Amino acid sequence: MTLRPLAATALAAMLIAAPVSALPSLAWAAKAPTVALKSLADLPTPLPYPYDEKADAEADVAAALKRAKKAHKLTLIDFGGNWCPDCRIFAGLIEQPDLKAFVDKHYEVVTVNVGRYDQNMQIPARYGIDKLKGVPTFLVVDTKGKLVNPDALFALTDARHMTPQALADWLAQWTK
């Protein structure tokens, strides 16, 4: 192996391992708010159960997309289940006042219960996602209905091991 491919491989590994907050800022992304919580352990408990298992997910997603288009916001489609601790942690975090204001300004958020990966799977399939590789899975959709984050759908499936600020930074990278 020559030095050039070895260096490229090392750089790629560092970028993959780097937290979102350590990556260069995207010129078009809004600045993430500074999150007061330093640890997810500081979230108020009990954590929310964000997924309505009896909801009409098709109607909820359609309504969120319509509201987002009218308000010139992104739609954040949150796929998960109440059994998932990472899903519940994320739901609790985005309700924190310093992050809630940011999320409300930039996103229409809609939660979709996936059961045990056996419910509402037709919704991610519309965006070319045949199988969820974990939850929470987030689709960021623009006002034209285009998926904005095709390479980062599963970035938060291990949310409980991230910092609150890293989660906020992930949300900010898709905004303008």
Side-chain angles (χ1 to χ4, degrees):
M1 179 178 265
T2 64
L3 185 57
R4 187 167 284 162
L6 181 58
T9 302
L11 177 61
M14 288 182 348
L15 288 174
I16 290 168
V20 173
S21 59
L23 297 176
S25 174
L26 299 174
W28 50 268
K31 183 178 181 334
T34 301
V35 180
L37 290 177
K38 298 302 176 205
S39 168
L40 294 173
D42 297 332
L43 282 171
T45 56
L47 291 169
Y49 289 98
Y51 305 95
D52 182 348
E53 296 171 4
K54 295 179 179 151
D56 180 346
E58 291 285 355
D60 291 349
V61 169
L65 290 166
K66 185 176 180 179
R67 285 190 312 271
K69 185 173 185 173
K70 184 176 180 182
H72 306 286
K73 295 181 185 182
L74 296 167
T75 304
L76 182 67
I77 307 174
D78 171 1
F79 294 95
N82 291 327
W83 52 265
C84 169
D86 298 295
C87 299
R88 295 179 63 202
I89 285 169
F90 183 82
L93 182 65
I94 66 170
E95 289 301 316
Q96 295 305 297
D98 45 7
L99 192 52
K100 184 167 180 42
F102 178 85
V103 170
D104 289 348
K105 178 180 178 181
H106 295 284
Y107 291 101
E108 283 295 330
V109 178
V110 58
T111 58
V112 176
N113 178 53
V114 298
R116 295 291 181 166
Y117 302 102
D118 59 355
Q119 296 177 27
N120 299 312
M121 301 310 293
Q122 74 284 1
I123 297 171
R126 266 189 233 121
Y127 295 93
I129 301 141
D130 297 326
K131 183 178 179 182
L132 298 184
K133 296 176 185 167
V135 290
T137 295
F138 295 98
L139 276 60
V140 180
V141 180
D142 69 14
T143 57
K144 296 177 183 167
K146 182 181 178 214
L147 183 62
V148 175
N149 68 323
D151 297 326
L153 304 171
F154 310 108
L156 305 182
T157 58
D158 199 21
R160 72 188 116 165
H161 295 111
M162 298 173 74
T163 66
Q165 190 61 55
L167 292 167
D169 292 345
W170 186 89
L171 283 167
Q173 69 183 317
W174 314 112
T175 61
K176 294 183 180 180

